Amino acid sequence: MIRLSKLKPYVMVAPALSFFLMFFIYPIFYMIRLSVTSWNFISPQKEFIGFNNYIELFTSEEFYQVLYNTLIYTVLTVGFSLVLAVLLALWLNKQGTLYNIVQGAIFSPYIISLVSVALLWLWMMDPQYGLLNVVLELMGLPKSLWLTHPNTALFSLVIVGVWKVLGYNTLIVMAGLQSIPKDIYEAAELDESNKWTTFYKITLPMLSPTIFFLLIVSTISSFQVFDTVQVMTQGGPINSTNMLVYYIFQYGFDFFKIGYASAAGVVLLVIVGIMTIFHFMFLSKHVYYR
Amino acid sequence: MKKILYVLDKLALILLALIFVFPFVWMVSTSFKSLQEVLIFPPKWIPDKLMFQNFVKAWSSGPFVTYFINSVLVSVSILALQFATMVPAAYAFARYKFKGYKLVFGITIAALMIPPQITFLPVYLQMSAWSALKTHIPLIIPFGASAFGIFLLRQSFMQVPDEIIEAAKLDDASEWKIMWNIMVPMARPVFITFGLFSFIYHWNDYFWPLVMTNSEAIRTLPIGIAMLKDAEGGINWNIVMAGNMILVAPILLVFFFARRQIIKAFVYSGIK
């Protein structure tokens, strides 16, 4: 007979585990299964069509455009928000009321609903009456069409993405800075190392676990951009801001091509999965852990 | 020279803060303007007359009382469920070595890695098959357990010294009692941190409620606010921003008073 106390841990993890299985693990398998069918949501039969959805995806110019948009958005958003965060953190990592206020100010967008942020920037980027064109005009620059022109729309979304997440990244980097032991800097000072060398040889390597963490988190979350696309552009103009999650949403809920949308979902899953593994395997080699 | 640098530094700091604060000031300013004033270029910062009726208009443009109640109901229910599932799971992960530990822990890590933006379609179809789409279930149940919360709490449970637990055992305290009367009170900061994190996240969430709802009766505030944009042809920015204020103000207000705690709640995940 099994002793009752042996069962205890299983009983304890069972509730949480059943949620995970039901809403994370099972849906993944269900999605993979749907991706090889031509289901339209209405017909009772889910007809098996093999890899046809995938073939359709990868021969569709629209899908490549979407992948390209997502990639550009991610590279730019992650790049800007990381580089700026390191610079800001080095600057703001001081004690004082003003520094505290500024830290709070740059963090505040992070806790605001993305739909509010999107509405706010949609209004600021209004080509006729928006605030941003006033600023451009004040600086003697030509007005921009922002979200209404295919050349500037994606970059406008990048601005919103960076503005939203910069404060979070900065505070994480600051936390990383604070964990660097002071005696290393004292030793560097004794060696009369100049500021740039100290930054390059000490600060940056010691920060690498933090930057590595942020790189993973922000890349994965940038790949899932949706709210700003849905509220600000709906993928337009001429598909210039359509990105993966929005594309899946469109094909699932507007066109009812469930199989096709699921195949795109599997592609997103694979990309996120590969990125996670890639980061862990390759980048971690260049990260200095203490 | 030093003095000039000092002043420049302060000025740059203020400029930086303004870049992040101005959009909110602009939102407040717009929300009090009349439609004519909204369309003045270059814009005025302070409206001639404060149009409080914008807020009434925004609020009465849809069933906002229902949206508000739904938002509270959804975020509070999620939090309650998460607390109920994370305490025993974190306790088991922290205090037991059992067969299948690696598998269960692996599934938890996977749940942490797989975002709702990947699983929404199959979950939606599942909910549809269960005819649950017209209820609050799809908004609440999928978030019934938080892998992130379990990790945080496990960390804190593992830090409870063994002597305390041994002493309790000598006093014949049951496992159940140790968990709820000793471990849980000691992990209070984690509950506050996670509670803030979870509540703000789900209060703000737009994606999931948008995907999972198709009836007004179960929609939450962010959906209602976003719909203001598409109401009545042409965008009435003053009304939209008034609505936006309704959504943003409570969070900003809480942030103003509990800044340290909230930053800790969000940044905690990043510090190992």
Side-chain angles (χ1 to χ4, degrees), chain B residues 71-144:
Chain B
S71 271
V72 173
L73 181 81
V74 167
S75 350
V76 171
S77 312
I78 288 175
L79 195 57
L81 257 180
Q82 286 177 335
F83 276 159
T85 54
M86 77 195 244
V87 171
Y91 187 83
F93 282 138
R95 291 284 151 189
Y96 287 100
K97 280 267 165 261
F98 52 92
K99 233 185 175 173
Y101 183 101
K102 272 197 174 156
L103 178 70
V104 178
F105 204 63
I107 290 172
T108 311
I109 290 175
L112 191 70
M113 297 291 191
I114 301 166
Q117 279 83 351
I118 288 181
T119 52
F120 74 94
L121 196 57
V123 173
Y124 175 86
L125 297 171
Q126 202 57 54
M127 291 295 177
S128 161
W130 294 342
S131 328
L133 285 178
K134 293 221 180 312
T135 69
H136 291 96
I137 289 172
L139 298 187
I140 298 167
I141 303 296
F143 302 103

Side-chain angles (χ1 to χ4, degrees), chain A residues 167-179:
Chain A
Y168 172 79
N169 286 0
T170 304
L171 282 158
I172 298 272
V173 177
M174 275 173 59
L177 283 175
Q178 279 153 18
S179 69

Side-chain angles (χ1 to χ4, degrees), chain B residues 34 61 72 80 83 93 95 98 114 138 154 182 194 205 216:
Chain B
S34 66
S61 72
V72 173
F83 276 159
F93 282 138
R95 291 284 151 189
F98 52 92
I114 301 166
R154 169 178 171 265
I182 298 172
F194 177 74
D205 193 15
E216 297 232 307

Side-chain angles (χ1 to χ4, degrees), chain A residues 10 91 99 111 113 116 123, chain B residues 9 30 41 99 115 204 229 244:
Chain A
Y10 299 103
W91 179 26
Y99 290 101
I111 54 153
S113 174
S116 296
W123 168 218
Chain B
D9 179 63
T30 306
F41 192 91
K99 233 185 175 173
N204 284 340
K229 181 176 74 96
N244 216 3

Side-chain angles (χ1 to χ4, degrees), chain A residues 22-74:
Chain A
M22 207 163 14
F23 297 107
F24 291 96
I25 309 300
Y26 173 72
I28 294 291
F29 288 104
Y30 187 43
M31 184 169 73
I32 295 171
R33 211 189 81 199
L34 285 170
S35 76
V36 291
T37 68
S38 66
W39 195 35
N40 59 5
F41 196 56
I42 299 144
S43 75
Q45 235 104 70
K46 299 186 179 87
E47 199 196 333
F48 178 81
I49 56 162
F51 287 110
N52 278 1
N53 286 323
Y54 293 94
I55 294 166
E56 201 184 329
L57 264 183
F58 285 106
T59 49
S60 146
E61 240 171 76
E62 190 191 35
F63 183 65
Y64 280 108
Q65 175 76 41
V66 167
L67 274 183
Y68 174 79
N69 291 342
T70 316
L71 191 72
I72 297 290
Y73 175 85
T74 301

